Amino acid sequence: MRRTFALLLAALFLTGCTAAESQQNGLRVANCGNVETFARPPQRVVSLNQHATEVLLALGLGDRLVGTAFPDDHEPPPEVAAQYADVPLLSARYPSYERILEAEPDLVVGGYASAFDEAEGRGRELFERNGINTLLLSESCASGPSGMGTLLADITMFGEALGLQDNARQLNADIEGRVRAVEQRLRGVPPVDVFVYDSGEQAAFTLGGNGVGNDALTRAGGRNVFSDVPKVFEDVSWEQVAARSPEAIVLVDYLGAPVQHKQSYLEGHPLASGTPAARNHRFSTIPLVELTEGIRFPAAVERLARDLHGA
């Protein structure tokens, strides 16, 4: 049994996935190259990105969530909006290590790897030296493609670590049910070639093939024209955008980057304006939070399926 678990841990370190194993001295969680031990479920949790915060609230963490940071939009999903408004906002961006300590957490959760930036004094090892556990959503450390399976595995892991296993099972069932319903409606429908535009003028910052967002787009009947790029997001040239002739363009929406400006820029761009998507004015919008690992995954699939197929 020990040998089997050791092999499992080794595989998880290589893939960036997460697993939990109960032992006599507490719960051991393998997460993004770290092994965290929980003697008991955490009682004071700080979450450093909005999509991670929404996962914890959807699990029913309640007033054990004592701080959040770095919101990406003003409107959390209805199912967690009221609770989200009650969580203290430590910073509009990433708070300092000292500001996090003021909340007296026993667990700090990151949505992006940048939450634990060592150069900014928030490395995971520093927290752990002070007796504070850390967990990171697995999309940020995966060495290969992530998708709905990554999300479901992380929800299971958080449920184990936080003592909310039943809530995690129900949340996973709800996510799977909504996504399967869309896939059923789209069965046999040809996919639409899609360019996802986040930002950039010298180059186009776009969705690659390794992220949860790519999986959402695929399940919604889209074909990401840059799915062959082995990153979650990456810069590509405008010549590549033109050559791949997307039929539809999805604009990524987040605070500080109005999507109206993005659409106007593409419509006036010497290369992007010649794509079938721009010529036919086939633009749609999606919040950044829906393209990252979190509880908005089924909403992203539903939104994209409506925009691309009216389904």
Side-chain angles (χ1 to χ4, degrees), residues 60-77:
L61 191 61
D63 58 9
R64 282 195 278 161
L65 188 57
V66 297
T68 185
F70 222 139
D72 285 310
D73 67 29
H74 292 298
E75 297 184 10

Side-chain angles (χ1 to χ4, degrees), residues 199-245:
S199 57
E201 295 187 2
Q202 297 303 312
F205 193 52
T206 189
L207 184 71
N210 275 17
V212 168
N214 182 72
D215 188 38
L217 180 58
T218 302
R219 293 175 186 273
R223 183 163 46 216
N224 179 7
V225 296
F226 289 104
S227 62
D228 59 324
V229 175
K231 296 288 183 67
V232 177
F233 279 89
E234 183 62 293
D235 283 325
V236 297
S237 72
W238 290 109
E239 288 78 9
Q240 289 175 295
V241 173
R244 299 194 180 195
S245 295

Side-chain angles (χ1 to χ4, degrees), residues 104-116:
E104 301 181 338
D106 50 7
L107 170 65
V108 178
V109 177
Y112 299 116
S114 54
F116 297 119

Side-chain angles (χ1 to χ4, degrees), residues 121-158:
R122 293 189 309 274
R124 294 183 73 172
E125 185 178 340
L126 180 59
F127 284 109
E128 288 154 21
R129 284 204 303 266
N130 286 279
I132 301 170
N133 286 111
T134 58
L135 292 172
L136 178 63
L137 289 178
S138 297
E139 179 184 28
S140 290
C141 64
S143 58
S146 299
M148 185 169 70
T150 307
L151 169 62
L152 299 179
D154 273 356
I155 289 172
T156 298
M157 176 271 297
F158 278 116

